[in-house]
Amino acid sequence: MRPEMLNPLFVEAGALEGVGPKSRKPLEKLGLERVKDIAYHLPERFVLRHAVDNLDQASVGEQIVVALTPTEHRASAGRGPFRVLAADALGNICALTYFGKASYSARKLLPVGETRWVAGRLDQYGQMLQIVHPEHIEVESAKLAGKLNEPVYRLAEGLTQPMVARLVAQAMARLPELAEWIEPGLIERQKWPAWRAALALSHRDEHAAARDRLAYDELLANSLALMLVKESNRQRRGQALRGDGALRGRLELPFGLTGAQRRSIGEIEGDMGQASPMLRLLQGDVGSGKTVVALESMLIAVEAGAQAALLAPTELLARQHYETLRQLAAPAGVTLALLTGRDKGRAREGILMGLADGSIQIVVGTHAIFQEAVSYRNLGLVVIDEQHRFGVSQRLMLTQKGKVTPHCLAMTATPIPRTLTLAQYGEMEVSRLDEMPPGRQAIDTRVVAIERLPEVVSGIERHLATGQQAYWVCPLVRDSENEGDDLAAAEARYAALKARFGEEVVLVHGQLRPEQKDAAMERFASGHAKLLVATTVIEVGVDVPAATLMVVEQAERFGLAQLHQLRGRVGRGSEKSTCLLLRGSELSETAKQRLALMRETQDGFRIAEEDLKLRGGGELLGTRQSGETAFRIAGLEQIQRLLPLAHDDARLLIERDGGLASPRGEAARLLLYLFERDWGVQLLRGG
Ligand code: ADP
Ligand code: MG
């Protein structure tokens, strides 16, 4: 049960004044459902305004507050703007310029001959000074005193800055004072304000200490949640699975395992031999050979008389894994099945029966393998591929299937820096595949200006003529308003390439139906199609060794990690592979550096660290950028600086007080409720 003192924070945003039916949608869109969300909707930046006595004291481009007296209303003929000419105390003239409907209110707000206090950005228009659409106009100067440093909030359509500011003020007025959850020594050393004060200060000012404190809170909540997962997992009843090696011994792998693969399998075998359930992350770059490690682990479970399940994030990947594993495992004589949401009727019934009676030993699939209707005779191991697609709370659900908790092996190819590994997977032990199978050739990576498109297309023609295949990736920014445009661009590129290469070209994107997508993929994987045009749906897992050329269009729009993943689709066979990063003409300095880094190295872990550095430096106020990390308050720089502290703090607290029963533990509970949406409060509910 949520402590009562938190109730004011959980009041619905709709109950605040000024939230009509119209603002409900945009608030929802911003994730502002409750009072606490609004209190945590921190300004993205502040507008700093300079209060001047006259325009001589101001410079062009500056945000100012100044007293002006309108001398003339000047409507222009036709569609031009409406201008109010106004004089400062020295008689300098400035035009207050309005476009469109705004001019109606301007006439009323700025009567000729009456002095007004005006706030806005001073511009130059020909010989004249002007302010376009002044942001505030007040009769009394006192009203503008608070606008010298004005917060700017992220908005959604239908909301305005003043509306959000009013909601924030109401939310702040409702905040209770909460007991301190941060360790007293730390708060003193860092000179951090208390929680409520930190929120208030952050809305008022660029207050670094307050922002740090709030970021720390979020990181601490994350660390605590992960540690509670770890702790509760440790207390669950699992089963010790010890294989005799009989099945593994029958495998006929066409290669010897790398040292890293052997070491990881050893670590997994050690964990699975324990009665408390394994919670391990296998981190390995694209192509480092995670699949074989998964197979060996699953065979351990089967040798010990249990079943194993492999969960993939998409149908496509599930299907591919199934095919690969079936071939690899054939000599061992185990029974595998594929189960996805698409399987219906008889086939599905058959699989469900096989899982229930144990005749199916290994199942590969999507979420469908964990639905209510699916029961296992004895599920001993769950392998989750491309772990980054699943959140902490989803991970929890997965491991809760059955009375005996299965061992869990998570795999990710997303090379994340060590600090972020802690934040995302802090509850797990980590095995790293830091060694590539032998014989991999470096991928020749080049950055090419889009103007050279015709050459690139001719290059593809020569490439396809040798019988090799190629990918052509177009950006698709998800959750973007321009998603339609992106898709249209991919479709247009497909049409153009198809006009040139005919039936050799297939298109895959996220809005195709699964069977269309699979049909296209199958044509490509079987070699019937030579060129695959795709959006980023091919990012993870796809394995076609004969594809040796990757073209990425508008490469500057992709994150480094994503580019790295995409590039990992080639260089999988024995032939030399090439990656062409097509770039637009206007690149930011960071974008240039990022593309240069891609050219320079193929080491995913290094790319991840550099990426973090490149982005971490350029941040304002530590606000989170576009969902790259799981954090809403803490920015990359803050994560690097504060997460290790939060992690240690959380560990100490849980070691001393795993039940969160001490006064500080109680306070930490409050914190976990504040971030329940992110880090799953089911922990507190004893789930
Ligand atoms: P990922 O870690 O990206 O999932 P995969 O498991 O798909 O990588 O392996 C990539 C390719 O490398 C596969 O074709 C696989 O058969 C091959 N492979 C895996 N381990 C080895 C090894 N030890 N030696 C040579 N090739 C290997
Ligand atoms: Mg893989």
Coordinates of all heavy atoms in Angstrom, one line a residue, residues 429-514:
E429 N 24.6 -10.5 -13.0 CA 26.0 -10.8 -13.2 C 26.3 -10.6 -14.7 O 25.3 -10.8 -15.5 CB 26.3 -12.2 -12.8 CG 25.9 -12.6 -11.4 CD 26.6 -11.7 -10.3 OE1 27.8 -11.4 -10.5 OE2 25.9 -11.4 -9.3
V430 N 27.5 -10.3 -15.0 CA 27.7 -10.0 -16.4 C 28.8 -10.9 -17.0 O 29.9 -11.1 -16.4 CB 28.1 -8.5 -16.7 CG1 28.5 -8.3 -18.1 CG2 27.0 -7.6 -16.2
S431 N 28.6 -11.5 -18.1 CA 29.6 -12.2 -18.9 C 29.8 -11.4 -20.2 O 28.9 -11.1 -20.8 CB 29.2 -13.6 -19.2 OG 29.1 -14.4 -18.1
R432 N 31.1 -11.2 -20.5 CA 31.3 -10.4 -21.7 C 32.0 -11.2 -22.7 O 33.1 -11.8 -22.5 CB 32.2 -9.2 -21.4 CG 31.4 -7.9 -21.0 CD 32.4 -6.7 -20.9 NE 31.6 -5.5 -20.9 CZ 32.0 -4.3 -21.1 NH1 33.3 -4.1 -21.4 NH2 31.2 -3.2 -21.0
L433 N 31.5 -11.2 -24.0 CA 32.2 -11.9 -25.1 C 33.0 -10.8 -25.7 O 32.6 -10.1 -26.6 CB 31.2 -12.4 -26.1 CG 30.4 -13.7 -25.7 CD1 29.5 -14.1 -26.9 CD2 31.3 -14.8 -25.3
D434 N 34.3 -10.7 -25.2 CA 35.1 -9.6 -25.6 C 36.1 -10.0 -26.6 O 37.2 -9.5 -26.8 CB 35.8 -8.9 -24.4 CG 36.4 -9.9 -23.5 OD1 36.5 -11.1 -23.9 OD2 36.8 -9.6 -22.4
E435 N 35.8 -11.1 -27.3 CA 36.8 -11.7 -28.3 C 36.0 -12.2 -29.5 O 35.0 -12.9 -29.3 CB 37.5 -12.9 -27.6 CG 38.4 -13.6 -28.5 CD 38.9 -14.9 -27.8 OE1 38.6 -15.1 -26.6 OE2 39.6 -15.7 -28.5
M436 N 36.3 -11.7 -30.7 CA 35.6 -12.1 -31.9 C 36.1 -13.5 -32.4 O 37.2 -13.8 -32.2 CB 35.8 -11.1 -33.0 CG 35.0 -9.9 -32.8 SD 33.2 -10.3 -33.1 CE 32.5 -8.7 -32.9
P437 N 35.2 -14.3 -33.0 CA 35.6 -15.5 -33.6 C 36.7 -15.2 -34.6 O 36.7 -14.1 -35.2 CB 34.4 -16.0 -34.3 CG 33.3 -15.4 -33.6 CD 33.7 -14.1 -33.1
P438 N 37.7 -16.1 -34.8 CA 38.8 -15.8 -35.6 C 38.4 -15.7 -37.1 O 37.3 -16.1 -37.5 CB 39.7 -17.0 -35.4 CG 38.8 -18.1 -34.9 CD 37.7 -17.4 -34.2
G439 N 39.2 -15.0 -37.8 CA 39.0 -14.9 -39.3 C 38.1 -13.8 -39.7 O 37.8 -13.7 -40.9
R440 N 37.6 -13.0 -38.8 CA 36.8 -11.9 -39.2 C 37.6 -10.8 -39.9 O 38.7 -10.5 -39.4 CB 36.1 -11.3 -38.0 CG 35.0 -12.1 -37.4 CD 33.8 -12.2 -38.3 NE 33.2 -13.5 -38.1 CZ 32.3 -13.8 -37.1 NH1 32.0 -12.8 -36.3 NH2 31.8 -15.0 -37.0
Q441 N 37.1 -10.3 -41.0 CA 37.8 -9.3 -41.7 C 37.2 -7.9 -41.3 O 36.0 -7.8 -41.0 CB 37.6 -9.4 -43.2 CG 38.2 -10.7 -43.7 CD 38.3 -10.7 -45.2 OE1 38.7 -9.7 -45.8 NE2 37.9 -11.7 -45.8
A442 N 38.1 -6.9 -41.2 CA 37.6 -5.6 -40.9 C 36.6 -5.1 -42.0 O 36.8 -5.5 -43.2 CB 38.8 -4.6 -40.8
I443 N 35.6 -4.4 -41.6 CA 34.7 -3.9 -42.6 C 35.2 -2.5 -43.1 O 35.4 -1.6 -42.3 CB 33.3 -3.7 -42.0 CG1 32.8 -5.1 -41.5 CG2 32.3 -3.1 -43.0 CD1 31.6 -5.0 -40.6
D444 N 35.3 -2.4 -44.4 CA 35.8 -1.2 -45.0 C 34.7 -0.1 -44.9 O 33.7 -0.2 -45.6 CB 36.2 -1.5 -46.4 CG 36.8 -0.3 -47.1 OD1 37.1 0.7 -46.4 OD2 36.9 -0.3 -48.4
T445 N 34.9 0.8 -44.0 CA 33.8 1.8 -43.8 C 34.2 3.2 -44.4 O 35.3 3.7 -44.1 CB 33.6 2.0 -42.2 OG1 33.3 0.7 -41.7 CG2 32.5 3.0 -42.0
R446 N 33.3 3.7 -45.1 CA 33.6 5.0 -45.8 C 32.4 6.0 -45.6 O 31.3 5.5 -45.6 CB 33.8 4.8 -47.3 CG 35.1 4.1 -47.5 CD 35.3 4.0 -49.0 NE 35.8 2.6 -49.3 CZ 35.9 2.2 -50.5 NH1 35.5 2.9 -51.6 NH2 36.3 0.9 -50.7
V447 N 32.7 7.2 -45.5 CA 31.7 8.3 -45.4 C 31.6 8.9 -46.7 O 32.7 9.4 -47.3 CB 32.0 9.3 -44.3 CG1 31.0 10.4 -44.2 CG2 32.2 8.6 -42.9
V448 N 30.5 8.9 -47.3 CA 30.3 9.4 -48.7 C 29.2 10.5 -48.8 O 28.1 10.3 -48.2 CB 29.9 8.3 -49.6 CG1 29.8 8.8 -51.1 CG2 30.9 7.1 -49.6
A449 N 29.5 11.6 -49.4 CA 28.5 12.7 -49.5 C 27.3 12.2 -50.4 O 27.6 11.5 -51.4 CB 29.1 13.9 -50.1
I450 N 26.1 12.6 -50.1 CA 24.9 12.1 -50.8 C 25.0 12.6 -52.3 O 24.4 11.9 -53.1 CB 23.6 12.6 -50.1 CG1 22.4 12.0 -50.8 CG2 23.6 14.1 -50.1 CD1 22.2 10.6 -50.5
E451 N 25.7 13.6 -52.6 CA 25.9 14.1 -54.0 C 26.4 13.0 -54.8 O 26.2 13.0 -56.0 CB 26.8 15.3 -54.1 CG 26.1 16.6 -53.6 CD 26.1 16.7 -52.0 OE1 26.9 16.0 -51.4 OE2 25.3 17.4 -51.5
R452 N 27.1 12.0 -54.2 CA 27.8 11.0 -55.0 C 26.9 9.8 -55.2 O 27.3 8.7 -55.5 CB 29.1 10.6 -54.4 CG 30.1 11.8 -54.6 CD 31.4 11.6 -53.9 NE 32.0 10.3 -54.2 CZ 33.0 9.7 -53.5 NH1 33.4 10.3 -52.4 NH2 33.5 8.6 -53.9
L453 N 25.6 10.0 -54.9 CA 24.6 8.9 -55.0 C 24.7 8.1 -56.3 O 24.7 6.8 -56.3 CB 23.2 9.4 -54.9 CG 22.1 8.4 -54.7 CD1 22.2 7.6 -53.4 CD2 20.7 9.1 -54.8
P454 N 24.8 8.7 -57.5 CA 24.9 8.0 -58.7 C 26.1 7.0 -58.7 O 25.9 5.8 -59.2 CB 25.1 9.0 -59.8 CG 24.6 10.3 -59.2 CD 24.8 10.2 -57.8
E455 N 27.2 7.4 -58.2 CA 28.4 6.5 -58.2 C 28.1 5.3 -57.3 O 28.5 4.2 -57.5 CB 29.6 7.2 -57.6 CG 30.3 8.2 -58.5 CD 31.3 9.0 -57.7 OE1 32.2 8.4 -57.1 OE2 31.1 10.3 -57.6
V456 N 27.4 5.6 -56.1 CA 27.1 4.5 -55.2 C 26.2 3.5 -55.8 O 26.4 2.3 -55.7 CB 26.4 5.1 -53.9 CG1 25.9 4.0 -53.0 CG2 27.4 6.0 -53.2
V457 N 25.2 4.0 -56.6 CA 24.3 3.1 -57.2 C 25.0 2.2 -58.3 O 24.8 1.0 -58.4 CB 23.1 3.8 -57.9 CG1 22.2 2.9 -58.7 CG2 22.3 4.5 -56.8
S458 N 25.9 2.9 -59.0 CA 26.7 2.1 -60.0 C 27.6 1.0 -59.3 O 27.7 -0.1 -59.7 CB 27.7 3.0 -60.8 OG 27.0 4.0 -61.3
G459 N 28.1 1.4 -58.1 CA 28.9 0.5 -57.3 C 28.1 -0.7 -56.9 O 28.5 -1.8 -56.9
I460 N 26.8 -0.4 -56.5 CA 25.9 -1.5 -56.2 C 25.7 -2.5 -57.3 O 25.7 -3.7 -57.2 CB 24.6 -1.0 -55.7 CG1 24.8 -0.4 -54.3 CG2 23.5 -2.1 -55.6 CD1 23.5 0.0 -53.6
E461 N 25.6 -1.9 -58.5 CA 25.4 -2.7 -59.7 C 26.5 -3.7 -59.9 O 26.3 -4.9 -60.1 CB 25.2 -1.8 -60.9 CG 24.9 -2.5 -62.2 CD 24.2 -1.6 -63.2 OE1 24.6 -0.4 -63.2 OE2 23.3 -2.1 -63.9
R462 N 27.8 -3.1 -59.8 CA 28.9 -4.0 -59.9 C 29.0 -5.1 -58.8 O 29.3 -6.2 -59.1 CB 30.2 -3.2 -59.8 CG 30.5 -2.3 -61.1 CD 31.9 -1.8 -61.1 NE 32.2 -0.9 -59.9 CZ 31.8 0.4 -59.9 NH1 31.3 1.0 -60.9 NH2 32.1 1.1 -58.8
H463 N 28.6 -4.6 -57.6 CA 28.6 -5.5 -56.5 C 27.6 -6.7 -56.7 O 28.0 -7.9 -56.5 CB 28.2 -4.8 -55.2 CG 28.2 -5.6 -54.0 ND1 29.4 -5.8 -53.3 CD2 27.2 -6.2 -53.3 CE1 29.1 -6.5 -52.2 NE2 27.8 -6.8 -52.2
L464 N 26.4 -6.4 -57.1 CA 25.4 -7.4 -57.3 C 25.8 -8.4 -58.5 O 25.5 -9.6 -58.4 CB 24.0 -6.8 -57.6 CG 23.4 -5.9 -56.5 CD1 22.0 -5.5 -56.9 CD2 23.5 -6.6 -55.1
A465 N 26.5 -7.8 -59.4 CA 26.9 -8.6 -60.6 C 27.9 -9.7 -60.2 O 28.0 -10.7 -60.8 CB 27.6 -7.7 -61.6
T466 N 28.6 -9.5 -59.0 CA 29.5 -10.6 -58.6 C 28.8 -11.7 -57.8 O 29.4 -12.6 -57.3 CB 30.6 -10.0 -57.6 OG1 30.0 -9.6 -56.4 CG2 31.4 -8.9 -58.3
G467 N 27.4 -11.5 -57.7 CA 26.6 -12.5 -57.0 C 26.5 -12.2 -55.5 O 25.8 -13.0 -54.7
Q468 N 27.1 -11.1 -55.0 CA 27.0 -10.8 -53.6 C 25.7 -10.0 -53.4 O 25.1 -9.4 -54.3 CB 28.2 -10.1 -53.1 CG 29.4 -10.9 -53.2 CD 30.7 -10.2 -52.8 OE1 30.9 -10.0 -51.6 NE2 31.5 -9.8 -53.8
Q469 N 25.3 -9.9 -52.1 CA 24.1 -9.1 -51.8 C 24.4 -7.8 -51.0 O 25.5 -7.6 -50.6 CB 23.2 -10.0 -50.9 CG 22.6 -11.2 -51.7 CD 22.0 -12.2 -50.8 OE1 22.7 -13.0 -50.2 NE2 20.7 -12.2 -50.7
A470 N 23.4 -7.0 -50.9 CA 23.6 -5.7 -50.2 C 22.4 -5.3 -49.5 O 21.2 -5.6 -49.8 CB 24.0 -4.7 -51.3
Y471 N 22.6 -4.4 -48.4 CA 21.5 -3.8 -47.7 C 21.5 -2.3 -48.1 O 22.6 -1.7 -48.3 CB 21.7 -3.8 -46.2 CG 21.7 -5.2 -45.6 CD1 22.9 -5.9 -45.3 CD2 20.5 -5.8 -45.3 CE1 22.9 -7.1 -44.7 CE2 20.5 -7.1 -44.7 CZ 21.7 -7.7 -44.4 OH 21.6 -8.9 -43.8
W472 N 20.4 -1.7 -48.1 CA 20.3 -0.2 -48.2 C 19.3 0.2 -47.1 O 18.1 -0.1 -47.1 CB 19.7 0.1 -49.6 CG 19.8 1.6 -49.8 CD1 19.1 2.6 -49.1 CD2 20.5 2.3 -50.8 NE1 19.4 3.8 -49.6 CE2 20.3 3.7 -50.7 CE3 21.4 1.9 -51.8 CZ2 20.9 4.7 -51.5 CZ3 22.0 2.9 -52.6 CH2 21.7 4.2 -52.4
V473 N 19.8 1.0 -46.1 CA 19.0 1.3 -45.0 C 18.7 2.8 -45.0 O 19.5 3.7 -45.2 CB 19.8 1.0 -43.7 CG1 18.9 1.5 -42.5 CG2 20.1 -0.5 -43.6
C474 N 17.4 3.1 -44.8 CA 16.9 4.5 -44.7 C 16.5 4.7 -43.3 O 16.0 3.8 -42.6 CB 15.7 4.7 -45.6 SG 16.1 4.4 -47.4
P475 N 16.7 6.0 -42.8 CA 16.3 6.2 -41.4 C 14.8 6.2 -41.2 O 14.0 6.5 -42.1 CB 16.8 7.7 -41.2 CG 16.9 8.3 -42.5 CD 17.1 7.2 -43.5
L476 N 14.4 5.7 -40.1 CA 13.0 5.8 -39.7 C 13.0 6.2 -38.2 O 13.4 5.4 -37.4 CB 12.3 4.5 -39.9 CG 10.8 4.6 -39.4 CD1 10.0 5.6 -40.2 CD2 10.1 3.2 -39.6
V477 N 12.7 7.4 -38.0 CA 12.7 7.9 -36.6 C 11.4 7.5 -36.0 O 10.4 8.1 -36.4 CB 13.0 9.4 -36.5 CG1 13.0 9.8 -35.1 CG2 14.3 9.6 -37.2
R478 N 11.4 6.7 -35.1 CA 10.1 6.3 -34.5 C 9.6 7.4 -33.6 O 10.3 8.2 -33.1 CB 10.3 5.0 -33.6 CG 9.6 3.8 -34.3 CD 10.1 2.6 -33.6 NE 11.4 2.2 -34.1 CZ 11.6 1.1 -34.8 NH1 10.7 0.2 -35.0 NH2 12.8 0.8 -35.2
D479 N 8.3 7.4 -33.3 CA 7.7 8.4 -32.5 C 7.9 9.8 -33.0 O 7.7 10.8 -32.3 CB 8.2 8.4 -31.0 CG 8.0 7.0 -30.4 OD1 7.0 6.5 -30.7 OD2 8.8 6.6 -29.6
S480 N 8.3 9.9 -34.2 CA 8.5 11.3 -34.7 C 7.3 11.7 -35.5 O 6.6 10.8 -36.1 CB 9.8 11.4 -35.6 OG 9.4 11.7 -36.9
E481 N 7.0 12.9 -35.6 CA 5.8 13.4 -36.3 C 6.0 13.2 -37.8 O 5.1 13.2 -38.6 CB 5.6 14.9 -36.0 CG 5.6 15.1 -34.5 CD 4.7 16.2 -34.1 OE1 4.6 17.2 -34.8 OE2 4.1 16.1 -33.0
N482 N 7.3 13.1 -38.2 CA 7.6 12.9 -39.6 C 7.7 11.5 -40.0 O 8.3 11.2 -41.1 CB 8.9 13.7 -39.9 CG 8.8 15.1 -39.6 OD1 7.8 15.7 -39.6 ND2 9.9 15.6 -39.1
E483 N 7.2 10.6 -39.2 CA 7.4 9.2 -39.5 C 7.0 8.9 -40.9 O 7.6 8.2 -41.6 CB 6.6 8.3 -38.5 CG 6.9 6.9 -38.6 CD 6.3 6.1 -37.5 OE1 6.4 6.6 -36.3 OE2 5.8 5.0 -37.7
G484 N 5.8 9.5 -41.3 CA 5.3 9.3 -42.6 C 6.3 9.7 -43.7 O 6.5 9.0 -44.7
D485 N 6.9 10.8 -43.5 CA 7.9 11.3 -44.5 C 9.1 10.3 -44.6 O 9.5 10.0 -45.7 CB 8.5 12.6 -44.0 CG 7.5 13.7 -44.0 OD1 6.3 13.4 -44.4 OD2 7.8 14.8 -43.5
D486 N 9.5 9.8 -43.5 CA 10.6 8.9 -43.5 C 10.3 7.6 -44.3 O 11.0 7.2 -45.1 CB 11.0 8.4 -42.1 CG 11.8 9.5 -41.4 OD1 12.5 10.3 -42.0 OD2 11.9 9.4 -40.1
L487 N 9.1 7.1 -44.0 CA 8.6 5.9 -44.7 C 8.5 6.2 -46.2 O 9.0 5.4 -47.0 CB 7.3 5.5 -44.1 CG 6.8 4.1 -44.6 CD1 7.9 3.1 -44.3 CD2 5.5 3.8 -43.9
A488 N 8.0 7.4 -46.5 CA 7.8 7.7 -47.9 C 9.2 7.7 -48.5 O 9.4 7.3 -49.7 CB 7.2 9.1 -48.0
A489 N 10.2 8.3 -47.8 CA 11.6 8.3 -48.4 C 12.1 6.9 -48.6 O 12.7 6.7 -49.7 CB 12.5 9.1 -47.4
A490 N 11.9 6.0 -47.7 CA 12.3 4.6 -47.9 C 11.6 4.0 -49.1 O 12.2 3.3 -49.9 CB 12.1 3.8 -46.6
E491 N 10.3 4.3 -49.2 CA 9.5 3.7 -50.3 C 10.0 4.3 -51.6 O 10.1 3.6 -52.6 CB 8.0 3.9 -50.1 CG 7.5 2.9 -49.1 CD 6.1 3.2 -48.7 OE1 5.6 4.3 -48.8 OE2 5.4 2.2 -48.2
A492 N 10.3 5.6 -51.6 CA 10.8 6.2 -52.9 C 12.1 5.6 -53.3 O 12.4 5.4 -54.5 CB 10.9 7.7 -52.7
R493 N 13.0 5.5 -52.3 CA 14.3 4.9 -52.6 C 14.1 3.5 -53.2 O 14.8 3.1 -54.1 CB 15.2 4.9 -51.3 CG 16.6 4.3 -51.6 CD 17.4 5.2 -52.5 NE 17.7 6.5 -51.9 CZ 17.8 7.6 -52.6 NH1 17.7 7.6 -53.9 NH2 18.1 8.7 -52.0
Y494 N 13.2 2.7 -52.6 CA 12.9 1.4 -53.0 C 12.5 1.4 -54.5 O 13.0 0.7 -55.3 CB 11.9 0.7 -52.1 CG 11.3 -0.5 -52.7 CD1 12.1 -1.7 -52.8 CD2 10.0 -0.6 -53.1 CE1 11.5 -2.8 -53.3 CE2 9.4 -1.7 -53.6 CZ 10.1 -2.8 -53.7 OH 9.6 -4.0 -54.2
A495 N 11.5 2.3 -54.8 CA 11.0 2.4 -56.1 C 12.1 2.7 -57.1 O 12.2 2.1 -58.2 CB 9.9 3.5 -56.2
A496 N 13.0 3.7 -56.7 CA 14.0 4.1 -57.6 C 15.0 2.9 -57.9 O 15.4 2.7 -59.0 CB 14.8 5.3 -57.0
L497 N 15.4 2.2 -56.8 CA 16.3 1.1 -57.0 C 15.7 -0.1 -57.7 O 16.3 -0.8 -58.5 CB 16.8 0.6 -55.6 CG 17.7 1.6 -54.9 CD1 18.0 1.3 -53.5 CD2 19.1 1.7 -55.7
K498 N 14.4 -0.2 -57.5 CA 13.7 -1.3 -58.2 C 13.6 -1.0 -59.7 O 13.7 -1.9 -60.5 CB 12.3 -1.4 -57.6 CG 11.6 -2.7 -58.1 CD 10.4 -3.0 -57.3 CE 9.7 -4.1 -58.0 NZ 8.9 -4.9 -57.2
A499 N 13.4 0.3 -60.0 CA 13.4 0.7 -61.4 C 14.7 0.3 -62.1 O 14.7 -0.1 -63.3 CB 13.1 2.2 -61.6
R500 N 15.8 0.3 -61.3 CA 17.1 0.0 -61.9 C 17.4 -1.5 -61.9 O 17.9 -2.0 -62.8 CB 18.1 0.8 -61.1 CG 19.5 0.5 -61.4 CD 20.1 1.6 -62.4 NE 21.5 1.4 -62.6 CZ 22.4 2.3 -62.4 NH1 22.1 3.5 -62.0 NH2 23.7 2.0 -62.7
F501 N 17.1 -2.1 -60.7 CA 17.5 -3.5 -60.6 C 16.4 -4.5 -60.7 O 16.6 -5.7 -60.5 CB 18.2 -3.6 -59.2 CG 19.4 -2.8 -59.1 CD1 19.5 -1.8 -58.2 CD2 20.5 -3.0 -59.9 CE1 20.6 -0.9 -58.1 CE2 21.7 -2.2 -59.8 CZ 21.7 -1.2 -58.9
G502 N 15.1 -4.1 -60.8 CA 14.0 -5.0 -61.0 C 13.7 -5.9 -59.8 O 13.8 -5.4 -58.7
E503 N 13.4 -7.1 -60.1 CA 12.9 -8.0 -59.0 C 13.9 -8.4 -58.0 O 13.7 -9.1 -57.1 CB 12.3 -9.3 -59.7 CG 11.0 -9.0 -60.5 CD 9.9 -8.4 -59.7 OE1 9.7 -8.8 -58.6 OE2 9.4 -7.4 -60.2
E504 N 15.2 -8.0 -58.3 CA 16.2 -8.3 -57.3 C 16.1 -7.5 -56.0 O 16.8 -7.8 -55.0 CB 17.6 -7.9 -57.9 CG 17.9 -8.5 -59.3 CD 19.2 -9.2 -59.2 OE1 20.2 -8.5 -59.2 OE2 19.1 -10.4 -59.2
V505 N 15.2 -6.5 -56.0 CA 15.1 -5.6 -54.8 C 13.9 -6.0 -54.0 O 12.8 -6.2 -54.5 CB 15.0 -4.2 -55.3 CG1 15.2 -3.2 -54.1 CG2 16.0 -3.9 -56.4
V506 N 14.0 -6.0 -52.7 CA 12.9 -6.1 -51.8 C 12.9 -5.0 -50.7 O 13.9 -4.5 -50.5 CB 12.8 -7.5 -51.1 CG1 12.3 -8.6 -52.0 CG2 14.1 -7.9 -50.4
L507 N 11.7 -4.8 -50.2 CA 11.5 -3.7 -49.2 C 11.0 -4.3 -47.9 O 10.1 -5.0 -47.9 CB 10.6 -2.6 -49.7 CG 10.2 -1.5 -48.8 CD1 11.3 -0.6 -48.5 CD2 9.0 -0.7 -49.4
V508 N 11.6 -3.9 -46.8 CA 11.1 -4.3 -45.5 C 11.0 -3.1 -44.6 O 12.0 -2.3 -44.5 CB 12.1 -5.3 -44.8 CG1 11.6 -5.6 -43.4 CG2 12.1 -6.6 -45.6
H509 N 9.9 -2.8 -44.0 CA 9.8 -1.8 -43.0 C 8.7 -2.2 -41.9 O 8.0 -3.1 -42.1 CB 9.5 -0.4 -43.6 CG 8.2 -0.4 -44.4 ND1 7.0 -0.4 -43.8 CD2 8.0 -0.3 -45.7 CE1 6.0 -0.3 -44.7 NE2 6.6 -0.3 -45.9
G510 N 8.7 -1.4 -40.9 CA 7.9 -1.8 -39.7 C 6.4 -1.8 -39.9 O 5.7 -2.3 -39.1
Q511 N 6.0 -1.2 -41.0 CA 4.5 -1.1 -41.2 C 4.0 -2.2 -42.1 O 2.8 -2.2 -42.4 CB 4.1 0.3 -41.6 CG 4.2 1.3 -40.5 CD 4.0 2.7 -40.9 OE1 3.3 3.0 -41.8 NE2 4.6 3.6 -40.1
L512 N 4.8 -3.1 -42.5 CA 4.3 -4.2 -43.3 C 3.7 -5.2 -42.3 O 4.1 -5.3 -41.2 CB 5.5 -4.9 -44.0 CG 6.1 -4.1 -45.2 CD1 7.3 -4.9 -45.7 CD2 5.1 -3.7 -46.2
R513 N 2.8 -6.0 -42.8 CA 2.3 -7.1 -42.0 C 3.4 -8.1 -41.8 O 4.3 -8.3 -42.7 CB 1.1 -7.7 -42.7 CG -0.2 -7.0 -42.3 CD -1.4 -7.6 -43.0 NE -1.2 -7.4 -44.4 CZ -1.5 -8.2 -45.4 NH1 -2.1 -9.2 -45.2 NH2 -1.3 -7.9 -46.7
P514 N 3.4 -8.8 -40.7 CA 4.5 -9.8 -40.4 C 4.7 -10.8 -41.6 O 5.9 -11.0 -41.9 CB 4.0 -10.5 -39.2 CG 3.1 -9.6 -38.5 CD 2.5 -8.7 -39.6

